[in-house]
Amino acid sequence: MKHLYYVAVITLCFLPLCMGGNTSGDKTRRRTFKHVKKEIAAYSDIAQDIINLAVHGKAQNRSYDRLALFVDAIGNRISGSRNLEMAIRYMHKELQKDGLENVALEPVKVPHWVRGQESAMMLEPRNQSIAVLGLGSSVGTPAEGITAEVLLVTSFEELHSRAAEAKGKIVVYNQPYISYGESVKYRAFGAVEAAKVGAVASLIKSIAPFSIYSPHTGWQDYQSGVPKIPTACITLEDAEMMQRMAARGTKIMIQLKMGARTYPDADSFNTVAEIVGSKYPEQVVLVSGHLDSWDVGQGAMDDGGGAFISWEALSLLKDLGLRPKRTLRLVLWTGEEQGGVGARQYFERHKVNISNFDLVMESDIGTFLPLGIQFSGSDQARNIMKETMKLLQPINVTNLYDSAEGTDIEYWMQAGVPGASLLDDYSKYFWFHHSQGDTMSVQDPIMMNLCAAVWTVVSYVIADMEEMLPR
């Protein structure tokens, strides 16, 4: 096959540097890093072929066009919804049509929360509609809603220091945006902390650095023994307006209505497809993104882009007639937005074969201009990944960063499997994240081409090397 033409024959030696993962022949035989570098460098022509096909050739814009057709036809895809079921069936059919192998649906159970009708109205000091998006797993209000005075705070510390003022009120958080990772605790735990001091509802400033009057939703968590109160996100603009009012001593009254309901867990599926390995088919390099989204916008950015460049990686290899030594497995996760529930069940089902998982990859922070790959693994594996990234010099994406991230691959990484995630210029990602703004208009076909090239080169080379990445 074509890839055998490109790969140089590497002579194994008996020097003591442990590169790990050798399943062919005597496991005591190890290669020097010099030999590994030579092996990786031999992929330069094939890496260029992948780049040419993805960025300049007949596959140009394919992942973008596929994604546009998908989200325009189906829309957003929240866990437990009819839309998500349609999306999974659609992808199952399309992956089969694409000629991929072992296309399958692996059953899982996922949360089923429905937003229902919701509204918020400021009644004092004047009438104004407040844009809200209920947070996932929130309880609803009574049919007549909840009408109460606002207590505005900027932190959990301020809330606790003013606990005596909170009873019977709607707590509004106007926390500063530091970073998503730091500030998201207010969305996750704002309702719990407000309920602890006797509040009847909570409204959280959206976890975003920028807004054009659009709230951002997301999952939130109740705690056992703490009353469940309705909770929603509001826009940056409204939170800051109420902050100014409160600073002047103005009394603020809000009527909140939320029809949210939680139903029993629903049946769903992780969607799987493969290119089966030519030499070590039992060993796996996994590429992935999640197919579910929130129930606003189109879910094009989070995580349609990541899912579709992962599909594209297999399509590009198929187009080039490339079959790596290990199996390249695509997994489109379900239930990621509720904490990776589909991925957790996948891990429990497949962890018996954990020694055969070479690398797990997830793209879930947009498909903007790629900057490189984030990686978690041993120092020896990191050195191999650094050499692999050099193959992407033609598109100037050679950086390897620390700490791979991804809700759906975290289970594997915690168990010691090397992990990789796509790092791009996500400076505007949280402008659109979990909001009505997450539409196809956010996506750029040129950037998706580049992301697909990075994803394909890295996954193919690691899957085709003679030895697995050392743990």
Side-chain angles (χ1 to χ4, degrees):
M1 298 182 70
K2 185 176 179 182
H3 68 296
L4 298 178
Y5 172 81
Y6 290 104
V7 181
V9 176
I10 306 300
T11 302
L12 297 176
C13 68
F14 291 86
L15 293 177
L17 180 61
C18 178
M19 298 308 302
N22 187 357
T23 61
S24 61
D26 187 348
K27 292 187 178 181
T28 64
R29 297 192 304 175
R30 305 301 182 196
R31 297 177 294 169
T32 65
F33 189 59
K34 177 180 178 181
H35 287 109
V36 174
K37 289 175 67 174
K38 184 177 179 182
E39 179 185 14
I40 295 171
Y43 287 98
S44 60
D45 287 344
I46 197 166
Q48 186 66 66
D49 279 355
I50 292 170
I51 291 168
N52 287 342
L53 179 60
V55 179
H56 310 294
K58 68 176 184 179
Q60 184 182 38
N61 301 346
R62 180 169 60 189
S63 59
Y64 176 91
D65 291 339
R66 284 171 166 174
L67 177 60
L69 177 60
F70 173 74
V71 299
D72 289 345
I74 295 172
N76 54 58
R77 309 165 299 281
I78 192 170
S79 170
S81 68
R82 172 66 175 162
N83 276 20
L84 179 57
E85 182 182 345
M86 290 169 56
I88 291 169
R89 300 296 178 184
Y90 176 98
M91 290 305 301
H92 183 255
K93 181 179 179 181
E94 290 300 310
L95 295 172
Q96 289 177 317
K97 285 171 58 178
D98 199 29
L100 300 179
E101 298 165 298
N102 296 333
V103 178
L105 299 178
E106 296 195 7
V108 296
K109 288 284 190 179
V110 295
H112 186 192
W113 176 83
V114 177
R115 175 179 308 283
Q117 296 295 313
E118 55 190 16
S119 66
M121 177 67 71
M122 184 171 70
L123 304 177
E124 295 183 31
R126 58 181 173 80
N127 284 353
Q128 177 178 321
S129 178
I130 302 294
V132 292
L133 276 179
L135 294 176
S137 82
S138 177
V139 296
T141 66
E144 68 275 13
I146 293 174
T147 301
E149 185 177 350
V150 162
L151 173 64
L152 193 140
V153 298
T154 58
S155 66
F156 289 143
E157 292 74 19
E158 182 181 358
L159 173 67
H160 296 148
S161 70
R162 300 177 65 185
E165 305 174 54
K167 186 174 178 61
K169 292 183 179 176
I170 296 175
V171 169
V172 173
Y173 293 92
N174 184 40
Q175 74 284 347
Y177 182 85
I178 300 170
S179 68
Y180 183 79
E182 174 68 20
S183 301
V184 74
K185 63 186 178 184
Y186 289 94
R187 189 191 76 202
F189 308 119
V192 167
E193 295 304 312
K196 287 178 180 178
V197 294
V200 294
S202 64
L203 298 174
I204 295 98
K205 181 169 75 173
S206 292
I207 312 305
F210 176 79
S211 173
I212 306 180
Y213 203 70
S214 179
H216 299 236
T217 188
W219 196 249
Q220 67 90 38
D221 293 299
Y222 290 122
Q223 286 182 10
S224 177
V226 178
K228 295 180 179 181
I229 62 174
T231 184
C233 270
I234 59 175
T235 67
L236 277 63
E237 293 89 339
D238 282 340
E240 291 165 1
M241 175 188 68
M242 285 189 270
Q243 176 78 62
R244 295 191 299 272
M245 289 177 172
R248 300 184 192 112
T250 302
K251 179 180 178 180
I252 306 169
M253 294 286 294
I254 285 180
Q255 182 185 64
L256 176 67
K257 293 184 178 182
M258 294 175 58
R261 294 187 63 182
T262 297
Y263 296 90
D265 285 355
D267 294 323
S268 191
F269 301 91
N270 293 316
T271 309
V272 181
E274 294 179 340
I275 294 177
V276 176
S278 61
K279 187 173 182 180
Y280 309 119
E282 73 284 359
Q283 298 174 7
V284 174
V285 168
L286 185 151
V287 292
S288 68
H290 66 87
L291 206 56
D292 66 301
S293 73
W294 278 101
D295 57 341
V296 289
Q298 291 183 300
M301 180 191 74
D302 182 19
D303 181 32
F308 275 66
I309 67 163
S310 295
W311 173 15
E312 184 68 9
L314 274 67
S315 289
L316 290 168
L317 297 185
K318 184 176 63 65
D319 289 347
L320 289 168
L322 297 172
R323 184 179 294 274
K325 295 182 180 71
R326 288 173 196 84
T327 294
L328 186 61
R329 180 178 297 165
L330 166 68
V331 182
L332 303 177
W333 310 107
T334 192
E336 188 276 344
E337 297 294 1
Q338 291 71 33
V341 294
R344 182 177 66 249
Q345 291 168 73
Y346 180 91
F347 175 75
E348 292 299 326
R349 181 178 291 121
H350 293 278
K351 66 182 180 181
V352 65
N353 297 315
I354 195 168
S355 63
N356 282 329
F357 279 76
D358 187 7
L359 177 67
V360 290
M361 302 170 63
E362 180 175 11
S363 173
D364 188 19
I365 197 165
T367 45
F368 301 102
L369 179 68
L371 304 176
I373 291 286
Q374 295 169 286
F375 179 74
S376 293
S378 68
D379 289 343
Q380 297 100 317
R382 176 173 299 280
N383 289 334
I384 293 170
M385 291 293 291
K386 284 181 179 178
E387 291 301 312
T388 303
M389 294 304 295
K390 292 179 182 179
L391 299 170
L392 291 159
Q393 181 59 51
I395 53 173
N396 195 30
V397 187
T398 59
N399 291 324
L400 188 72
Y401 301 89
D402 290 336
S403 303
E405 53 185 293
T407 299
D408 295 313
I409 60 172
E410 190 65 33
Y411 307 101
W412 297 95
M413 292 192 295
Q414 289 176 354
V417 177
S421 54
L422 179 68
L423 182 65
D424 59 9
D425 178 10
Y426 64 92
S427 56
K428 295 183 180 179
Y429 179 81
F430 291 108
W431 292 18
F432 310 104
H433 181 250
H434 293 184
S435 78
Q436 294 285 11
D438 183 357
T439 68
M440 201 61 205
S441 296
V442 177
Q443 299 298 117
D444 183 316
I446 296 173
M447 298 303 105
M448 287 190 70
N449 295 337
L450 293 169
C451 290
V454 172
W455 218 224
T456 309
V457 169
V458 172
S459 61
Y460 174 75
V461 171
I462 298 302
D464 197 59
M465 292 181 67
E466 186 58 35
E467 294 186 349
M468 291 175 67
L469 291 173
R471 301 285 170 94

